Every structure is written in structure tokens, then in C-alpha cells.
Amino acid sequence: MPDLQVATRRVAEVVVVEPKGFINAHTVAEFEGVLNALVEAGDVRIVISGAHLSYVASAGFGAIMGLIEEARAGGGDIRVAALTGTVAHIFRVLGFDRLCRTFETEGEAVLSFGGH
């Protein structure tokens, strides 16, 4: 099994990105590529579900922050949901919870975009 699998699915006008496994120096390009392709295609309402993430290195958070301003400029946002354990702890320690809206559940994150 690869270190990272990234699935996407649409919920109304929001795209849910579901990484599974580890986002680190070896896998961040795949993760970033998925996010980049979405933003470039105009899909700027993105929820990243952390429910199946085992680990995220700072490079993974950097990939999110690298595209969040572009998504916001396009009228959307990148929001994070369902972070667990170590991943949630790293997210808070690095201060990303102050830069990126986070939600307990994927459903709450999707609904936060309102009207969709």
C-alpha cells in the first residue's frame, strides 16, 4: 500500500479531499498536486478531511497554506475537518488553527460554506 492515497468527491458545490496515510516530504507533491488542480479548475470551496490521516509533516500544512490565499481570492476557501490525534496536535502547535478554519466534522465544514 502506498504511503498516501488521495480521493476527492463533490458534495454540492464543495469538493472534499480525503487524504489517507502520511503526508511527508515524499508524498507532499501528490497531495499538493490534487489541491493545485482543483484550484486551477475553479473548485475553490475545498474541505480537507483528516479522518484517515496518520501523519502530516510541516510540508503538508505548507501545501495547504500555499493555496489557501489563491482559493480565497477566487471566492472560496480551504477548510479542514475531522483531524485526529497527532495530526490535530501538530496542526495546533504549528498555529495553523489560526490561519485555517477547522471543524470537528466534515459535514460541519461543508455546511460552513453556506447555501450549498
Side-chain angles (χ1 to χ4, degrees), residues 14-15 80 96 116:
V14 176
V15 177
V80 178
F96 282 103
H116 300 285

Side-chain angles (χ1 to χ4, degrees), residues 6-85:
V6 184
T8 61
R9 60 186 163 78
R10 188 170 296 279
V11 179
E13 294 184 23
V14 176
V15 177
V16 177
V17 177
E18 295 180 289
K20 183 177 183 180
F22 298 83
I23 299 175
N24 55 35
H26 302 291
T27 61
V28 71
E30 179 182 352
F31 176 67
E32 189 171 28
V34 169
L35 294 178
N36 216 356
L38 290 170
V39 172
E40 285 179 8
D43 285 316
V44 293
R45 295 174 179 216
I46 300 169
V47 171
I48 298 169
S49 173
H52 301 290
L53 271 174
S54 301
Y55 178 77
V56 179
S58 59
F61 292 118
I64 296 168
M65 299 319 297
L67 288 166
I68 201 165
E69 290 305 321
E70 194 173 337
R72 288 175 178 168
D77 199 5
I78 297 176
R79 299 179 182 169
V80 178
L83 295 178
T84 60

